[in-house]
Amino acid sequence: MLWLAIGPFRAMENQVLVIRIKIPNSGAVDWTVHSGPQLLFRDVLDVIGQVLPEATTTAFEYEDEDGDRITVRSDEEMKAMLSYYYSTVMEQQVNGQLIEPLQIFPRACKPPGERNIHGLKVNTRAGPSQHTSPAISDSLPSNSLKKSSAELKKILANGQMNEQDIRYRDTLGHGNGGTVYKAYHVPSGKILAVKVILLDITLELQKQIMSELEILYKCDSSYIIGFYGAFFVENRISICTEYMDGGSLDVYRKIPEHVLGRIAAAVVKGLTYLWSLKILHRDVKPSNMLVNTKGQVKLCDFGVSTQLVNSIAKTYVGTNAYMAPERISGEQYGIHSDVWSLGISFMEDSPVLPAGEFSHPFVHFITQCMRKQPKERPAPEELMGHPFIMQFNDGNSTVVSMWVCRELEERRSQQGPS
Ligand code: ATP
Ligand code: MG
């Protein structure tokens, strides 16, 4: 249980945990737990036994962010559930939202009996799925929707996302092309990241960009930032995407190899996904790799719209340190060029490379990605199969989540009270 007593959950540790036990075909019972992180699987089963004395419950389920049910049958699985729940609490706190109870679903239970020695109160309010503000995926085209091209055109033409519905809050950062804001989408109650780029271009080119961006609706990968829509107002385009509360990798200090490895595995999967759709990223770099307190890693700012890339390039000044040599010298750009940028990104974000401090697979991975000859760099399947990626390709988002939370906590404590 040590992992719960340290780092990101320190702040959570003293908080009361409310577990909402859902009763099949009935209401729900809220159970207030004062020692959340110390909670054992047995404790939960005991309480379920109090709530549903006639049923024999041996397991329960919770819902992940996609609404998929995940079964809990052991302390290990309890840990994973609590870790997931605390990361959602952290996100709700960061976004200033109401903290939702942890909702669990006892498996194969009969209706509740009379016994209730814990003095639990039946929750008469609507369940969380009804009283949370509608998720953006309910009302807007989410990245998991497989809509027809005609439907997508309609959505874009109707401007499901529009300036009137958006309240800009903080500035998240400035890039060469534009500025990214944290924003509140009023109809859905969702926090977004909105990138605003000034573009003095014709209406014709604006339309071309909007149509090129359509493919973003079809991107469906947990390693790619969710796209909610884009719109032009006068001479600027606003591109609305999922907000990542951990921000981009460039603002983090040295990243330990076991965390970097998990991040690298996610980035390779994101790139492999894009390449499978015949999309080259064209701008792989730490500021385009985003993380959140759930431990997810997602790629953003990939070049789906040639016209947008060209229009931004016209105003672009300076050099891009992550560009592959062949690109700098004006030769053809391909998957290999993305691979170079991948290598240099992780070399930069890792601790300085003194001999002996890095594992052999890590050094080999970087060296292979940064071969001068594009064709000598690993192909997508070789990247996935590389020992460095294989070693960390365990989908352990808790490692990344804990690291992000700890870093954010440290950043906040350095900034002092605001
Ligand atoms: P460039 O313009 O050269 O690509 P950049 O990637 O740093 O540089 P932007 O893409 O404008 O510039 O992003 C600015 C900053 O905004 C990023 O560095 C990142 O920290 C933050 N940011 C971008 N998108 C998001 C997002 N979806 N969620 C949270 N933060 C984001
Ligand atoms: Mg960027």
Side-chain angles (χ1 to χ4, degrees), residues 213-358:
L213 289 177
E214 272 187 29
I215 194 169
L216 290 177
Y217 288 118
K218 289 191 173 166
C219 281
D220 181 16
S221 160
S222 41
Y223 307 104
I224 300 295
I225 198 82
F227 175 67
Y228 298 139
F231 54 86
F232 268 97
V233 175
E234 293 165 2
N235 62 344
R236 57 181 198 275
I237 185 172
S238 298
I239 302 171
C240 308
T241 61
E242 176 184 3
Y243 168 66
M244 297 287 278
D245 61 1
S248 50
L249 284 192
D250 56 322
V251 291
Y252 285 83
R253 304 167 303 172
K254 292 171 182 178
I255 306 174
E257 198 179 307
H258 72 286
V259 176
L260 193 74
R262 263 100 190 184
I263 293 175
V267 168
V268 167
K269 285 187 202 167
L271 284 176
T272 309
Y273 177 77
L274 289 178
W275 296 332
S276 76
L277 296 179
K278 305 224 173 338
I279 299 171
L280 293 176
H281 190 295
R282 294 174 194 273
D283 204 8
V284 177
K285 56 181 176 182
S287 72
N288 290 337
M289 299 171 188
L290 302 166
V291 288
N292 65 18
T293 47
K294 288 184 201 159
Q296 294 173 309
V297 182
K298 304 193 183 201
L299 292 175
C300 69
D301 288 348
F302 37 96
V304 284
S305 164
T306 321
Q307 200 46 252
L308 184 59
V309 172
N310 289 345
S311 305
I312 295 173
K314 291 210 177 94
T315 57
Y316 182 85
V317 278
T319 52
N320 182 343
Y322 303 89
M323 267 189 193
E326 68 275 13
R327 204 172 161 202
I328 292 169
S329 58
E331 286 158 54
Q332 235 189 344
Y333 186 91
I335 286 180
H336 305 300
S337 320
D338 275 351
V339 175
W340 170 284
S341 310
L342 172 77
I344 194 159
S345 296
F346 288 126
M347 190 171 101
E348 187 197 75
D349 267 80
S350 64
V352 221
L353 277 172
E357 246 190 59
F358 289 90

Side-chain angles (χ1 to χ4, degrees), residues 100-299:
E100 294 290 344
L102 168 57
Q103 200 171 195
I104 61 168
F105 305 83
R107 282 255 293 249
C109 296
K110 292 184 190 149
E114 297 303 313
R115 256 175 83 213
N116 187 0
I117 60 160
H118 285 258
L120 305 166
K121 279 197 292 249
V122 172
N123 169 41
T124 48
R125 288 175 297 146
S129 56
Q130 286 139 301
H131 70 72
T132 47
S133 45
I136 206 149
S137 53
D138 295 341
S139 51
L140 293 165
S142 90
N143 58 0
S144 65
L145 293 185
K146 314 268 185 302
K147 290 199 182 283
S148 72
S149 185
E151 262 182 297
L152 289 172
K153 281 211 173 80
K154 218 166 88 196
I155 290 163
L156 284 171
N158 287 346
Q160 288 237 351
M161 272 288 172
N162 59 65
E163 184 98 321
Q164 291 74 45
D165 287 342
I166 291 173
R167 305 283 176 272
Y168 293 92
R169 286 186 178 170
D170 315 326
T171 303
L172 294 171
H174 303 279
N176 275 302
T179 303
V180 180
Y181 300 92
K182 182 176 175 181
Y184 178 68
H185 184 245
V186 181
S188 64
K190 188 101 175 163
I191 299 287
L192 315 172
V194 183
K195 183 166 193 166
V196 181
I197 307 167
L198 283 173
L199 290 174
D200 284 312
I201 52 171
T202 62
L203 208 63
E204 223 19 69
L205 287 182
Q206 287 192 3
K207 281 191 190 145
Q208 196 183 330
I209 290 175
M210 292 301 273
S211 114
E212 286 174 341
L213 289 177
E214 272 187 29
I215 194 169
L216 290 177
Y217 288 118
K218 289 191 173 166
C219 281
D220 181 16
S221 160
S222 41
Y223 307 104
I224 300 295
I225 198 82
F227 175 67
Y228 298 139
F231 54 86
F232 268 97
V233 175
E234 293 165 2
N235 62 344
R236 57 181 198 275
I237 185 172
S238 298
I239 302 171
C240 308
T241 61
E242 176 184 3
Y243 168 66
M244 297 287 278
D245 61 1
S248 50
L249 284 192
D250 56 322
V251 291
Y252 285 83
R253 304 167 303 172
K254 292 171 182 178
I255 306 174
E257 198 179 307
H258 72 286
V259 176
L260 193 74
R262 263 100 190 184
I263 293 175
V267 168
V268 167
K269 285 187 202 167
L271 284 176
T272 309
Y273 177 77
L274 289 178
W275 296 332
S276 76
L277 296 179
K278 305 224 173 338
I279 299 171
L280 293 176
H281 190 295
R282 294 174 194 273
D283 204 8
V284 177
K285 56 181 176 182
S287 72
N288 290 337
M289 299 171 188
L290 302 166
V291 288
N292 65 18
T293 47
K294 288 184 201 159
Q296 294 173 309
V297 182
K298 304 193 183 201
L299 292 175

Side-chain angles (χ1 to χ4, degrees), residues 60-114:
F60 57 88
E61 295 171 336
Y62 66 102
E63 278 179 353
D64 71 6
E65 59 183 340
D66 301 322
D68 292 334
R69 294 276 179 95
I70 299 174
T71 307
V72 177
R73 285 182 224 82
S74 64
D75 282 341
E76 259 323 288
E77 288 169 347
M78 270 278 296
K79 268 203 276 188
M81 176 184 75
L82 288 174
S83 156
Y84 167 73
Y85 175 68
Y86 283 131
S87 71
T88 62
V89 167
M90 184 80 88
E91 196 184 353
Q92 285 163 1
Q93 280 179 335
V94 169
N95 295 338
Q97 294 165 331
L98 230 69
I99 308 296
E100 294 290 344
L102 168 57
Q103 200 171 195
I104 61 168
F105 305 83
R107 282 255 293 249
C109 296
K110 292 184 190 149
E114 297 303 313

